[in-house]
Amino acid sequence: MKGSLIRSLMTVASLFAFSAPILAHHGSRVSYDLSKQLTMKGVVTEYQYQNPHIYIMYDVKDESGNVVHWGAETNSPVVQARFGWDRHTLKPGDEITVTVNPAKVGAARGYLAKLVTADGKVTELGRPEN
């Protein structure tokens, strides 16, 4: 009886350990206001082509001419590869026009809905996948 209880507890503990990464995944829909979109022109300061999501950091001038540091999150590199993206798609200094679903908390962050590069290439993404 004691051995069977220990085996059962070990099995349950193993299942929790292996399922932890599943529970850790977050949904982007929670953080962003999908009913609103903001479009702005900016200059790329950093391009993070990494899992679990690609991040684009860029500077935008506000109405007063002050620089605001913005960030846009998008899909994983695997998903963005379907749109022709790779680790060289953007680089610091690139001029971009960005449309994002803004962060619900009012931070200068958003979920990328559309990106237009200086050469006119357009990537429309729509709503977050997760």
Side-chain angles (χ1 to χ4, degrees):
M1 176 78 167
K2 186 177 181 181
S4 132
L5 178 61
I6 291 173
R7 276 193 297 277
S8 294
L9 289 174
M10 295 284 287
T11 301
V12 170
S14 295
L15 289 173
F16 278 120
F18 289 113
S19 66
I22 293 169
L23 297 174
H25 185 77
H26 62 281
S28 295
R29 295 176 189 264
V30 186
S31 303
Y32 304 103
D33 185 345
L34 301 181
S35 69
K36 295 180 184 174
Q37 289 192 336
L38 300 175
T39 300
M40 62 200 92
K41 291 186 179 205
V43 177
V44 175
T45 59
E46 188 176 352
Y47 176 57
Q48 300 173 5
Y49 189 80
Q50 62 191 22
N51 282 315
H53 299 271
I54 296 172
Y55 292 93
I56 304 165
M57 308 306 286
Y58 55 101
D59 287 344
V60 175
K61 288 190 179 178
D62 67 11
E63 304 82 30
S64 303
N66 299 315
V67 174
V68 180
H69 306 291
W70 271 83
E73 173 184 0
T74 189
N75 301 306
S76 68
V78 172
V79 173
Q80 287 306 106
R82 296 179 202 154
F83 297 103
W85 287 34
D86 63 22
R87 63 183 63 258
H88 305 290
T89 298
L90 296 171
K91 64 185 178 312
D94 285 351
E95 293 183 12
I96 55 175
T97 301
V98 181
T99 301
V100 297
N101 298 104
K104 288 180 180 177
V105 297
R109 297 282 180 267
Y111 198 89
L112 188 67
K114 181 178 177 181
L115 176 83
V116 182
T117 56
D119 64 1
K121 183 175 181 195
V122 178
T123 304
E124 292 203 47
L125 303 172
R127 294 183 179 264
E129 290 190 357
N130 50 28

